[in-house]
Amino acid sequence: MDPDAVAKAFVEHYYRTFDSSRAALGGLYQDASMLTFEGDKIQGAAAIVAKLSSLPFQQCAHAISTVDFQPSGPSGGMLVFVSGSLQLGGEQHPLKFSQMFHLMPTPQGSFYVLNDIFRLNYA
Amino acid sequence: MDPDAVAKAFVEHYYRTFDSSRAALGGLYQDASMLTFEGDKIQGAAAIVAKLSSLPFQQCAHAISTVDFQPSGPSGGMLVFVSGSLQLGGEQHPLKFSQMFHLMPTPQGSFYVLNDIFRLNYA
């Protein structure tokens, strides 16, 4: 599969799902998956979904500025690096963010998120 | 080795070297190493050092805001995610940036940079 297409399809799917139904992100993670969210470390699909679902806002809209990707080594993984902004419901100004994902291939020919690190970029 | 100590020592070493002598960063990369710098894709230690050395400024001072890290899988690698700002000589305002590194172990017990993705975060 074309890595450029994989990266862009993943990013589009991830943020569309995040903005519409965070609980549905669980299918992208596995037990070994790690999320570091603003410095909080969470491991495992269930705990990651619980964390994302518990974030204190109801509405969120991501706007993506850049998507970079590289192969991560012989295991067939791919690193995806995203920058953009997000608009929370009820807030006046969007927030800048950066996020990286390490996608690993599944035996079924798809990918799951092994590593996920998110940071807001305070201006 | 404590991964927290490795990540922090790497970040300190990388930016101190970048700000004092960019050409000396070559020892951190190998032939398989990849750099994506503001969307430009470069591969191999020599080409990466040439790119970093050719950036159109003489003085640069990085200030690190956050350092996050995670193990990247069974190969013993580590992902390091950095946010901060950089002040270029002659410029009035610092620039925000985000950067990720994928460090891989060497047979000598050290690490090299397999993946490096850099983006400025325009306000």
Side-chain angles (χ1 to χ4, degrees):
Chain A
M1 215 165 0
D2 174 28
D4 184 52
V6 171
K8 286 178 178 161
F10 168 78
V11 167
E12 185 180 326
H13 175 66
Y14 181 89
Y15 293 108
R16 190 175 59 227
T17 306
F18 191 107
D19 293 347
S20 60
S21 170
R22 274 173 268 163
L25 290 170
L28 296 173
Y29 298 93
Q30 295 191 0
D31 286 349
S33 300
M34 287 161 274
L35 167 66
T36 304
F37 187 90
E38 287 285 279
D40 286 349
K41 297 185 174 202
I42 300 109
Q43 180 150 1
I48 289 170
V49 168
K51 170 70 177 180
L52 296 177
S53 300
S54 75
L55 294 174
F57 51 81
Q58 297 301 317
Q59 292 185 314
C60 181
H62 287 80
I64 304 309
S65 301
T66 64
V67 178
D68 297 306
F69 60 91
Q70 293 179 358
S72 68
S75 56
M78 178 162 55
L79 295 163
V80 182
F81 187 90
V82 182
S83 73
S85 61
L86 57 89
Q87 178 72 53
L88 299 180
E91 297 287 330
Q92 191 171 2
H93 299 292
L95 302 168
K96 295 271 180 189
F97 75 93
S98 299
Q99 188 163 14
M100 60 142 293
F101 301 95
H102 188 195
L103 307 183
M104 293 293 278
T106 66
Q108 294 78 31
S110 184
F111 286 88
Y112 74 97
V113 178
L114 175 58
N115 303 95
D116 179 351
I117 302 180
F118 174 92
R119 280 283 178 183
L120 291 173
N121 302 129
Y122 292 104
Chain B
M1 216 166 0
D2 173 31
D4 183 54
V6 170
K8 287 178 180 161
F10 169 78
V11 167
E12 186 180 326
H13 175 66
Y14 181 89
Y15 293 107
R16 192 177 55 226
T17 305
F18 191 107
D19 293 347
S20 60
S21 170
R22 274 173 268 163
L25 290 170
L28 296 174
Y29 298 92
Q30 296 191 0
D31 285 350
S33 300
M34 288 162 272
L35 167 66
T36 304
F37 187 91
E38 286 286 281
D40 285 349
K41 296 185 176 204
I42 300 110
Q43 181 151 0
I48 289 170
V49 167
K51 171 69 177 179
L52 296 176
S53 300
S54 75
L55 295 174
F57 51 81
Q58 296 302 317
Q59 292 185 314
C60 181
H62 288 79
I64 304 309
S65 300
T66 64
V67 178
D68 297 307
F69 61 92
Q70 292 179 358
S72 69
S75 56
M78 178 160 57
L79 295 163
V80 182
F81 187 89
V82 182
S83 73
S85 61
L86 58 89
Q87 178 72 54
L88 298 180
E91 296 288 330
Q92 191 172 2
H93 299 293
L95 302 168
K96 295 272 181 188
F97 75 94
S98 299
Q99 189 163 13
M100 61 142 291
F101 301 95
H102 188 195
L103 307 183
M104 293 293 277
T106 65
Q108 295 77 29
S110 184
F111 287 88
Y112 74 98
V113 178
L114 175 59
N115 303 96
D116 180 350
I117 302 179
F118 174 92
R119 280 283 179 184
L120 291 172
N121 302 129
Y122 292 103

